[in-house]
Amino acid sequence: MPSAVPSTAPVTPMADEKKSQLPPDTKDGAVMAAAPAVSSLDTSNGSHTIDKTAQSGGPATSTETSIPAVKDTNPTVQPIVNAHTHDDLVNPPDFQGEVQTNNDLPAIETLRKIETYTVLDSDGKSHTFKSLYAGHNSPRRVLIIFIRHFFCGNCQEYLRTLSASITPDALLQLPVSTFIAVIGCGSHELINTYIQETGCPFPVYADPTRRLYTELGMVRTLALGSRPAYMQGKSLAHTVVSGVVQGLKQVKSGLVLKMGDQRQVGGEFLFEPASLTLDTPITTPLSEEEKKLEPIGGDGKADNDEDPKVEEKRVTWCHRMRTTRDHAEMPELMEVLGLDGKGAPIKDKKRWEKALKMRKGTGLSMASQMSRLSIDTTHTNHGTSNGVSSGEAKA
């Protein structure tokens, strides 16, 4: 029997044995630790947190030190990461700066795509989006304001300021029928409470699916931005507490969690005749002299939208919010609508001066044409009045 010859080579059987005992989800002696870490991603607040225990793999042992770590090559991990982080690649983490968006006017193709999308009124009745700005019972010009969720104190202050600065009576004085509609992203069951809270004289609708927000390019963020003039000096604490109180009032009704997406921000879109002509089309049932602005939406039936006699509309001016309190200021809205004045000044002169100078939106509305029409009408009436006076004097 041959004698044992001592070996000088390094002892490796133990390492090979441990390698053979590794779980089936390992490759070349590497532990796949990335998958558990990805599963602990938390995007509820726009940030990613990783379970430290899963990441570290627990206390280090001699076995772990003998296993070299290599890059994870599992092809199923990357799509999961992309699915969770896609939204935050578009929008920055909460409260950090403004989101990247633009004020490009929506394309005609986009408007045709969303015209049959539905919104809900306070009774839960559905209306096509197009019926809000086009149809036999709709004004020729409609400004649609998209707000955030129904408990947002910032948007509520905006509508309070809007209601005090732009009234339905003021819109009736314009040479072209003009009106305003408001859309929120929460449940329609909160609309009546919202109207009572803000005193808004204009119709309010709900788009709980947020499809209109998405298609029209509005984004999601919790960034605050600078305090605007329309806040009327209200502090952040005031608006937050106001929203919380309103939410607590809805606990019994079960609507406390139906206010809408808290990260969704809105914007303003002005729909006007595609022809940009001031002449009232013959197909309009009510003449400009007999116009009476009623709640927008008609009967909500899509067949009215398909009527070829309905005047075609397009967006001539728009603004998309970049922060949670970035609505267009009153002076800009009044200018776009063709109203006289700048709105009620606020005590903070610095913010008011900024509101007077800043223009957030993009586009060219019919306001300039309406202004010229008003001047021409004034001159004509003045000349007629002088002629009548001269004739009476000669008589």
Side-chain angles (χ1 to χ4, degrees):
M1 182 174 183
S3 59
V5 180
S7 174
T8 58
V11 180
T12 58
M14 290 298 292
D16 293 339
E17 181 180 354
K18 292 183 182 295
K19 180 178 179 180
S20 64
Q21 294 176 358
L22 289 174
D25 61 342
T26 58
K27 182 177 181 181
D28 296 332
V31 178
M32 299 299 197
V38 172
S39 65
S40 63
L41 285 174
D42 178 12
T43 59
S44 62
N45 63 347
S47 60
H48 301 301
T49 57
I50 301 178
D51 188 342
K52 294 182 179 179
T53 304
Q55 186 181 32
S56 61
T61 64
S62 60
T63 301
E64 290 176 347
T65 56
S66 66
I67 302 174
V70 298
K71 185 178 179 181
D72 179 17
T73 57
N74 189 342
T76 63
V77 174
Q78 187 63 30
I80 297 177
V81 175
N82 288 340
H84 283 286
T85 60
H86 174 72
D87 180 66
D88 291 289
L89 293 176
V90 177
N91 302 310
D94 299 340
F95 306 108
Q96 296 184 12
E98 298 179 345
V99 292
Q100 297 301 316
T101 185
N102 59 62
N103 291 320
D104 294 344
L105 300 180
I108 295 297
E109 293 76 16
T110 300
L111 297 181
R112 288 174 180 169
K113 177 181 179 181
I114 65 177
E115 63 184 17
T116 57
Y117 286 9
T118 57
V119 293
L120 305 175
D121 60 21
S122 59
D123 297 322
K125 184 178 180 180
S126 62
H127 304 264
T128 61
F129 178 58
K130 185 177 181 179
S131 69
L132 271 59
Y133 61 85
H136 294 304
N137 296 321
S138 299
R140 298 190 67 205
R141 306 170 71 228
V142 178
L143 175 66
I144 297 183
I145 299 175
F146 288 86
I147 57 173
R148 298 179 65 230
H149 59 86
F150 285 128
F151 292 159
C152 175
N154 298 330
C155 289
Q156 290 180 7
E157 285 299 325
Y158 183 69
L159 287 187
R160 291 188 187 102
T161 303
L162 174 77
S163 302
S165 304
I166 304 176
T167 65
D169 288 340
L171 296 177
L172 281 169
Q173 304 305 315
L174 294 173
V176 179
S177 57
T178 306
F179 209 55
I180 295 175
V182 179
I183 297 178
C185 64
S187 170
H188 71 277
E189 297 173 276
L190 290 169
I191 291 178
N192 286 333
T193 302
Y194 192 80
I195 293 176
Q196 293 174 3
E197 189 69 32
T198 60
C200 179
F202 305 108
V204 180
Y205 299 91
D207 173 24
T209 66
R210 297 188 298 108
R211 291 197 302 168
L212 290 173
Y213 289 80
T214 302
E215 294 294 342
L216 289 174
M218 288 168 276
V219 294
R220 300 172 66 244
T221 181
L222 286 178
L224 293 171
S226 59
R227 189 170 69 183
Y230 64 77
M231 292 296 293
Q232 297 287 340
K234 297 294 190 303
S235 66
L236 174 62
H238 178 274
T239 56
V240 170
V241 171
S242 175
V244 170
V245 171
Q246 292 175 44
L248 292 176
K249 291 180 180 179
Q250 299 297 333
V251 172
K252 291 184 178 180
S253 65
L255 299 175
V256 64
L257 299 179
K258 295 184 179 181
M259 70 283 197
D261 189 340
Q262 297 184 54
R263 296 187 68 187
Q264 181 67 62
V265 296
E268 302 82 36
F269 296 78
L270 178 61
F271 288 82
E272 295 185 316
S275 62
L276 292 180
T277 176
L278 298 178
D279 297 331
T280 305
I282 298 176
T283 55
T284 300
L286 299 178
S287 66
E288 290 295 315
E289 292 77 14
E290 299 173 343
K291 65 188 176 185
K292 180 179 180 181
L293 298 181
E294 300 177 352
I296 304 174
D299 57 6
K301 295 182 180 180
D303 55 354
N304 284 342
D305 299 337
E306 299 172 357
D307 191 335
K309 297 180 181 179
V310 172
E311 187 175 27
E312 185 179 359
K313 305 289 181 65
R314 66 183 178 91
V315 176
T316 58
W317 175 91
C318 77
H319 163 251
R320 298 178 182 87
M321 298 171 65
R322 296 174 181 270
T323 67
T324 59
R325 42 186 191 178
D326 186 39
H327 280 290
E329 295 278 13
M330 291 306 117
E332 182 173 9
L333 283 191
M334 297 182 71
E335 178 182 286
V336 168
L337 292 175
L339 294 169
D340 295 329
K342 303 294 182 180
I346 63 174
K347 295 180 180 180
D348 191 329
K349 293 184 178 180
K350 185 176 181 180
R351 282 195 174 86
W352 180 243
E353 288 296 329
K354 182 179 179 180
L356 290 173
K357 297 177 181 179
M358 180 179 291
R359 293 296 177 265
K360 298 180 179 180
T362 300
L364 182 63
S365 71
M366 297 171 61
S368 57
Q369 297 183 56
M370 292 164 55
S371 178
R372 289 194 296 269
L373 176 63
S374 298
I375 294 174
D376 293 342
T377 302
T378 301
H379 288 168
T380 301
N381 293 339
H382 183 68
T384 304
S385 177
N386 288 341
V388 171
S389 300
S390 300
E392 291 177 348
K394 290 179 180 179

